[in-house]
Every structure is written in structure tokens, then in C-alpha cells.
Amino acid sequence: MSNLFFKGSRTEVTLPLKAECLSPTGGSTVVSFKGKFKVINTDEQKELRDAIQNKSMTGEDVIRRLLVGWADVQDQENQPIEFSEENLEAALLNPFYLDALGEGALVIVYGKKTMEEVRRKNSSRQGSTG
């Protein structure tokens, strides 16, 4: 295996994420933040895809493996929440942050274009059935 580092490639990437949280009145609030993810090679991508498909890894496991930091995550008093293992575990218990972090992890595993296609297909299906 080569140790070449191609121009433009990174070992980590920061992705914009959005947690769509329900409000007490039944509406929703979108909370924007950034997730910093480890970039993996194609062999690791295949390994994770297989693990996801055969259910030997949960979404939370994939997030734990790939997420290496975050920015702009705040508590209810708008105080920053530092990235740590303990804080990550708390975020994974929140379904809205779990979804957002999972989206970021899936971009790393499947690629940005693939995830955009999936979103486009899902939104067209919802539009035709709703």
C-alpha cells in the first residue's frame, strides 16, 4: 500500500451539520454545528459499508469510529460544549444530534455525491406520496 499523500486530500474534514430539534410547541428548531471526521481510504470505506450492511456495527459505532471533534455545539445557555468521549456519548443519546452526526459519518463512508443522490431520491419519494 502506498503512502502517497495526494494534493487536496486530508486526514480529517469538517462538515456542516444540522440537528432539527423539536420545540416545546411542536414546531422545530434547526441547530447548526460542525463535525470533524476522520477521512478513511477506500478499503476502510468498504469495511464500514459491509459492517453497516450486515449489522455488525451500529450507527453509533460508526460515529464513534469516525468523529474526532466538533465546533459550535452549545448547551441551552449557549455555552460551548467541548468535544470529549463523555460529551459524545451524551450527544448520541439525543436523537436529533444522533441523526446529524450520523449524516456526517455516512458522507465519509459512502461519499458526498452518493448521499446527495439518496437525499434527492428520498425527497422526490416523499413529494409523490405526501
Side-chain angles (χ1 to χ4, degrees):
M1 183 186 281
S2 174
N3 287 330
L4 284 176
F5 188 73
F6 291 92
K7 183 176 181 175
S9 23
R10 306 278 184 267
T11 58
E12 296 175 348
V13 64
T14 301
L15 301 175
L17 302 174
K18 293 183 180 185
E20 190 171 346
C21 303
L22 293 178
S23 68
T25 59
S28 63
T29 303
V30 175
V31 179
S32 297
F33 65 103
K34 296 176 184 104
K36 188 175 185 178
F37 293 88
K38 174 182 163 185
V39 175
I40 56 177
N41 65 37
T42 54
D43 290 339
E44 292 172 295
Q45 283 179 315
K46 183 181 179 334
E47 175 190 328
L48 285 177
R49 286 183 199 134
D50 291 346
I52 291 167
Q53 196 167 28
N54 67 31
K55 299 184 190 311
S56 63
M57 285 184 84
T58 65
E60 291 91 337
D61 293 333
V62 175
I63 294 167
R64 285 181 191 103
R65 181 162 169 182
L66 298 177
L67 188 70
V68 296
W70 61 40
D72 304 325
V73 176
Q74 299 175 337
D75 65 14
Q76 290 182 336
E77 285 80 39
N78 295 323
Q79 296 301 309
I81 298 176
E82 297 298 319
F83 181 79
S84 69
E85 223 175 277
E86 181 180 347
N87 290 340
L88 172 58
E89 292 305 315
L92 295 176
L93 293 174
N94 181 307
F96 311 111
Y97 281 83
L98 173 62
D99 285 349
L101 293 167
E103 273 284 318
L106 290 175
V107 167
I108 300 300
V109 173
Y110 290 97
K112 186 176 180 179
K113 285 184 181 179
T114 300
M115 292 308 298
E116 287 171 354
E117 288 174 20
V118 167
R119 273 189 227 105
R120 196 170 31 257
K121 285 178 185 175
N122 286 342
S123 66
S124 69
R125 282 188 199 141
Q126 288 175 352
S128 64
T129 61

